[in-house]
Amino acid sequence: MRAVDREILRLAVPAFLALVAEPMFLLSDAAIVGHLGTPELAGLGVAAVILQTVVGLCVFLAYGTTASVARHLGAGDLRAALAQGIDGMWLAVIIGAIATVGGIALTPSLVAAFDTGSEVAQHAESYLAIAFLGTIPLLLMLATTGVLRGLQDTRTPLVVAVAGNGLNIALNFLLVYGFDLGIAGSAIGSVVAQVLSAAWLVLVVVRAARRHDAPLSPDRAGIKAAAHAAVALVIRTLALRACLLVGTYAVTRVGAEATDVNVATHQIAITLWSFLAFALDAIAIAAQALTGRALGSGDVEGTRRLTRRMIQWGWGSGIVAGLVLAAVSPVIGILFTSDPEVRELLVPVLLVAALGQPVAGVVFVLDGVLIGAGDGAFLAWAGLAVLAAYAPAALFAATLPHGLVAVWVAMSVVFMGARGLLLSWRARGDRWLVTGATLAR
């Protein structure tokens, strides 16, 4: 068990620090923009949900690449592992180019779908139209990070994430306040930081590929195979992101007099929730890499041991995260806004979120285990089932007294609870334990 713990910590600790640093892009944006005013913060909230959904749908570039690269590594074929990673990077460029053009063209329509009012919509459009220019570097960051995780290297993404976040904060302050560019300056600073971070990671992977004679040119068959394997993960991610979108939409339906306050409060809460989710996801990252490597080498019993231990780690980490969130809930609002209504409403919302953290810790771990095993088909069906349960629950919760808090209760109980039940049931079986260098079933 000590050996298992050392393996988990070797990957999870740097992944934890990197994943904590990554959402600092949004945390720093929220803190800086929040002091411009409540409408600006609400506009950032809408824009962030849209951008996170677009980029989040492509998280398979990291998850799928981690699993496939780790399997080849476990099977002892490093050249094939790197070739698989290069194919994922080219796929990121192709998808990123399409998303950039489409996102910029559809920005007004995407913002209008939230029906938040003209002032909030104007700020959301200003941020989003610029932020979409960072789509290609963001997707390249996902793909290259997946390659390195699959190679059991979580330290390099940590260094890049910390440096990129530091640059992002500095640029945001300079452009928002120094050059008085407002919310647009925040978007520009983030894009510049994303471009430089992506370039750094690409250089690391390219150097490794050259050392092991892996091809760098686009391989049509390899890119097509990577895209085909990603379909199930896209469906899974789309369903889960749809749940978050439904939650935000439900919040805009709460009350007729304080929509800006509700949306701004929800934005701070979802940003903090995402921060903790990324932190808890560190063990899931270790689960992806270790599960893929173990199954690639044919070690089924070792995979079972890893899974049991990582569940324990996930549960304990979730308890710690919940206690921390509950403790800071009365005071953390001051970092994001000067609006007393938002600060007051934020406290009960964060307390509800804190209660759901232990379950979230287990959910993220099991999600990582099954992704590392390549069990995408089940994850897709599970995601759709969770969406079917959560969407009506969230919309109904918005009609209740204290509707914002009720929406967060639905998120903790229905969204995370249903995921926990489905993933736990799957993990108890054997169908996901497929061994070998490929994910073919």
Side-chain angles (χ1 to χ4, degrees):
M1 193 60 68
R2 288 180 180 177
V4 172
D5 286 343
R6 283 195 298 269
E7 281 286 276
I8 294 171
L9 288 172
R10 182 179 64 83
L11 294 174
V13 171
F16 166 76
L17 296 174
L19 289 169
V20 167
E22 285 179 18
M24 288 296 288
F25 276 107
L26 286 177
L27 280 173
S28 59
D29 285 357
I32 294 170
V33 171
H35 289 284
L36 291 173
T38 298
E40 287 87 348
L41 182 59
L44 175 63
V46 173
V49 167
I50 295 171
L51 187 63
Q52 286 176 311
T53 299
V54 173
V55 176
L57 289 176
C58 299
V59 74
F60 68 86
L61 291 167
Y63 291 173
T65 303
T66 296
S68 58
V69 169
R71 276 183 176 267
H72 283 290
L73 181 69
D77 193 346
L78 184 55
R79 183 180 183 277
L82 286 164
Q84 189 89 45
I86 295 295
D87 290 338
M89 290 164 59
W90 280 111
L91 182 60
V93 172
I94 295 169
I95 296 174
I98 296 171
T100 299
V101 174
I104 293 174
L106 294 173
T107 288
S109 299
L110 292 171
V111 173
F114 288 85
D115 191 24
T116 57
S118 60
E119 186 177 7
V120 172
Q122 181 182 356
H123 292 304
E125 289 182 27
S126 296
Y127 186 93
L128 195 58
I130 297 170
F132 266 123
L133 296 175
T135 306
I136 292 177
L138 280 171
L139 299 194
L140 274 173
M141 288 168 68
L142 287 175
T144 50
T145 297
V147 176
L148 294 171
R149 288 172 180 169
L151 296 174
Q152 318 294 292
D153 175 12
T154 56
R155 293 178 181 270
T156 300
L158 166 61
V159 174
V160 176
V162 171
N165 180 63
L167 178 61
N168 179 64
I169 294 174
L171 289 174
N172 268 256
F173 271 112
L174 177 64
L175 297 173
V176 172
Y177 296 113
F179 287 90
D180 197 25
L181 295 179
I183 194 171
S186 177
I188 294 170
S190 294
V191 169
V192 172
Q194 290 155 7
V195 169
L196 294 176
S197 297
W200 188 346
L201 288 169
V202 168
L203 181 61
V204 171
V205 174
V206 166
R207 284 178 173 174
R210 285 176 174 169
R211 283 198 303 271
H212 297 280
D213 197 30
L216 296 176
S217 57
D219 178 66
R220 184 175 179 179
I223 294 172
K224 186 176 180 180
H228 182 267
V231 171
L233 284 179
V234 171
I235 295 172
R236 167 257 182 200
T237 304
L238 179 60
L240 298 181
R241 292 302 308 179
C243 288
L244 298 182
L245 280 173
V246 168
T248 299
Y249 178 79
V251 169
T252 67
R253 308 268 73 80
V254 175
E257 302 296 329
T259 300
D260 288 3
V261 171
N262 287 323
V263 174
T265 303
H266 180 72
Q267 164 59 14
I268 296 173
I270 201 69
T271 301
L272 291 169
W273 185 86
S274 298
F275 181 88
L276 290 176
F278 276 114
L280 293 174
D281 211 29
I283 302 173
I285 297 304
Q288 292 174 26
L290 294 174
T291 300
R293 190 185 70 183
L295 291 176
S297 65
D299 187 1
V300 173
E301 182 54 37
T303 303
R304 284 287 192 191
R305 286 197 306 271
L306 284 167
T307 300
R308 288 192 295 268
R309 191 57 172 171
M310 285 185 289
I311 289 173
Q312 294 174 354
W313 276 87
W315 182 256
S317 299
I319 292 173
V320 172
L323 291 173
V324 170
L325 186 59
V328 303
S329 61
V331 296
I332 199 167
I334 196 172
L335 296 177
F336 300 97
T337 181
S338 56
D339 190 327
E341 289 186 79
V342 174
R343 291 183 192 174
E344 182 179 357
L345 186 56
L346 184 62
V347 176
V349 169
L350 292 184
L351 289 176
V352 170
L355 290 173
Q357 291 305 300
V359 174
V362 175
V363 166
F364 295 145
V365 164
L366 290 176
D367 204 42
V369 167
L370 296 180
I371 288 172
D375 198 22
F378 173 80
L379 291 172
W381 284 111
L384 292 172
V386 170
L387 175 60
Y390 172 68
L395 294 173
F396 173 72
T399 68
L400 300 174
H402 309 291
L404 178 59
V405 176
V407 170
W408 274 84
V409 170
M411 184 173 178
S412 295
V413 175
V414 181
F415 177 49
M416 298 306 297
R419 290 182 69 189
L421 288 173
L422 289 170
L423 296 178
S424 297
W425 172 78
R426 183 65 168 184
R428 291 192 187 100
D430 297 323
R431 296 185 63 184
W432 59 279
L433 291 165
V434 179
T435 58
T438 68
L439 298 174
R441 293 178 179 274

